[in-house]
Amino acid sequence: MLMNLQNSLHTTALVLALGGVAALVGWLAAGSAGAVVAVGVMVVSVVVRHQGATQALLRQLGAARVPDHVAPGLARLLAVLSARAGLPVPRLFLVPLPVPQALAMGSADAPLVAVSPALLDRLTPRQVAAVLAHELSHLRHGDLRVMRLADAAVAVTGGLARLGLLAGIIALIAGAPMPFWVLLLLYLAPSGMVALRQALSRTREFAADAGAAHLTGDPAALADALEALERPHRARWWWQPMAPAAEPEDWLSSHPSTAERVRRLRLLAV
């Protein structure tokens, strides 16, 4: 309970920081109109972007829908876990990736889960259940929407910061330079936003791990799955909502270190 509260508070603080920095950069770059644009773009991206993005990602991955009768065991498992999570039963997709992978897509109202054959081959049924519970926890917690908001904040901040720096250079040439601290903030803001976005991602991974432990009642299963995925494949993959981050963890990692995730899960199992 305390860990969930800490995760929620951390997420709230990071989201407010992302929105605040984006609005500040917008104001520095283009006045009050820039601040309104920054916040507006973030909100619109959350409201209208997710459906098109999900379909585009499915096409990009070459995902194929898996009917219930083709994989009845997985279908039953998803039905049980989604009922515990208070979610509709997700549509299941298979993605032809050569690495173990599990992805949560869609939303809490229209959830999708995609897995690769390599994941099913490498993990035991108990570990697969833990991985699917992790993905369902992302959907249950609204993490995809939160991360879309963060991505929008990063993108709009970068665009407005470049606009502000260009305006500063033009002003400098015209003999009316901007204050140095404004230019410095505009220069550093995009990197700072990326760091905040990655910190938010790491917080949501810890929360999804805890959520998976709650759904399955078996935190050791997810710890075992993370260790099984980590052993044969240390390098970070191109995009990995489930896969562990490369060691050592740094401030630009989107995922916490596997060792820390496993440590927390082992504590829950005690």
Side-chain angles (χ1 to χ4, degrees):
M1 182 66 70
L2 178 60
M3 184 179 297
N4 288 336
L5 177 60
Q6 290 173 337
N7 283 329
S8 297
L9 292 174
H10 193 190
T11 295
T12 300
L14 288 169
V15 169
L16 291 175
L18 284 162
V21 173
L24 175 61
V25 169
W27 179 74
L28 292 174
S32 58
V36 171
V37 167
V39 175
V41 168
M42 292 169 59
V43 172
V44 169
S45 71
V46 173
V47 173
V48 305
R49 183 184 165 202
H50 74 275
Q51 184 61 34
T54 297
Q55 296 304 318
L57 181 58
L58 289 172
R59 288 193 299 270
Q60 180 184 352
L61 293 173
R65 176 74 187 276
V66 180
D68 290 352
H69 69 272
V70 173
L74 278 177
R76 286 193 296 270
L77 179 58
L78 278 174
V80 170
L81 291 173
S82 59
R84 293 177 184 174
L87 296 171
V89 179
R91 289 179 289 164
L92 178 64
F93 287 81
L94 197 67
V95 290
L97 296 175
V99 295
Q101 189 66 279
L103 314 172
M105 291 179 277
S107 65
D109 296 327
L112 290 80
V113 172
V115 296
S116 68
L119 182 87
L120 301 177
D121 291 341
R122 183 167 296 173
L123 300 183
T124 67
R126 171 172 163 263
Q127 292 167 352
V128 170
V131 168
L132 293 177
H134 175 99
E135 298 304 327
L136 290 176
S137 293
H138 278 309
L139 291 163
R140 184 187 189 188
H141 299 159
D143 289 343
L144 277 65
R145 178 172 293 182
V146 170
M147 295 313 300
R148 282 196 300 271
L149 179 64
D151 290 339
V154 170
V156 74
T157 298
L160 289 171
R162 288 189 290 273
L163 177 65
L165 286 172
L166 178 61
I169 293 172
I170 293 174
L172 180 63
I173 294 172
M178 284 187 179
F180 174 76
W181 68 268
V182 173
L183 295 175
L184 182 63
L185 180 58
L186 291 172
Y187 178 76
L188 295 176
S191 295
M193 290 291 278
V194 170
L196 285 172
R197 188 262 182 218
Q198 302 298 66
L200 178 61
S201 177
R202 293 193 295 272
T203 296
R204 300 324 304 152
E205 288 302 316
F206 282 133
D209 286 348
H214 175 73
L215 290 178
T216 62
D218 188 6
L222 183 56
D224 292 343
L226 290 170
E227 290 179 332
L229 293 171
E230 177 77 355
R231 280 194 296 269
H233 203 89
R234 298 285 295 183
R236 184 176 302 164
W237 303 323
W238 67 278
W239 189 61
Q240 46 189 163
M242 177 61 212
E247 310 278 1
E249 179 184 336
D250 60 50
W251 63 287
L252 288 179
S253 286
S254 63
H255 283 58
S257 69
T258 300
E260 179 59 19
R261 294 175 70 182
V262 168
R263 185 189 71 82
R264 295 190 182 201
L265 287 164
R266 298 290 186 206
L267 287 175
L268 291 175
V270 173

